[in-house]
């Protein structure tokens, strides 16, 4: 599975498919790990773009928690772009919104602090 990844300024953006499930999770995990390894010296944030997702599955949340932990070891923050109300609600209910900044669009994301 090819997972689109691009660098935007100091953000490394990984675009998620509409649904993250047990079949495609390994490919998404690999894309996130590769983005961290490949762009960790250039990007200060790893962005999980869930714009195509209407709902965040438990598998998606698991992948994101793992990516957040790995990104932190490289000094990167993890941002999540999730415009869909149900997706945002899942982040609020699980408490992940407190540890993963949540934005409605890529344009809404701030530049992370330097350092």
């Amino acid at each position: 599975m090819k997972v689109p990844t691009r660098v935007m300024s100091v953000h490394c953006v990984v675009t998620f498919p509409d649904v993250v499930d047990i079949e495609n999770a390994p490919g998404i995990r690999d894309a996130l790990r590769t983005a961290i390894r490949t762009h960790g010296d250039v990007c200060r944030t790893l962005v999980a773009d869930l714009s195509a997702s209407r709902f965040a599955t438990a598998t998606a949340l698991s992948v994101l928690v793992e990516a957040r932990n790995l990104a932190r070891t490289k000094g990167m923050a993890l941002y999540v772009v999730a415009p869909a109300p149900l997706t945002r609600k899942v982040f609020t209910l699980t408490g992940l919104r407190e540890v993963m900044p949540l934005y409605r669009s890529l344009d809404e994301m701030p530049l992370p602090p330097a350092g």
Side-chain angles (χ1 to χ4, degrees), residues 75-99:
M76 298 171 77
L78 173 71
Y79 291 173
V80 178
V81 173
L86 282 176
T87 302
R88 297 175 70 79
K89 186 173 186 173
V90 168
F91 278 85
T92 299
L93 291 173
T94 60
L96 287 176
R97 187 176 187 148
E98 301 300 318
V99 296

Side-chain angles (χ1 to χ4, degrees), residues 29-95:
R29 233 182 226 110
D30 287 345
L32 291 162
R33 288 177 185 155
T34 298
I36 293 165
R37 278 194 312 270
T38 304
H39 303 293
D41 58 334
V42 176
C43 298
R44 295 195 314 247
T45 58
L46 176 64
V47 179
D49 183 1
L50 279 70
S51 295
S53 304
R54 291 178 302 176
F55 184 77
T57 64
T59 303
L61 299 179
S62 172
V63 167
L64 288 169
V65 168
E66 181 182 319
R68 177 186 176 266
N69 293 341
L70 182 57
R72 287 182 72 193
T73 68
K74 300 293 184 179
M76 298 171 77
L78 173 71
Y79 291 173
V80 178
V81 173
L86 282 176
T87 302
R88 297 175 70 79
K89 186 173 186 173
V90 168
F91 278 85
T92 299
L93 291 173
T94 60

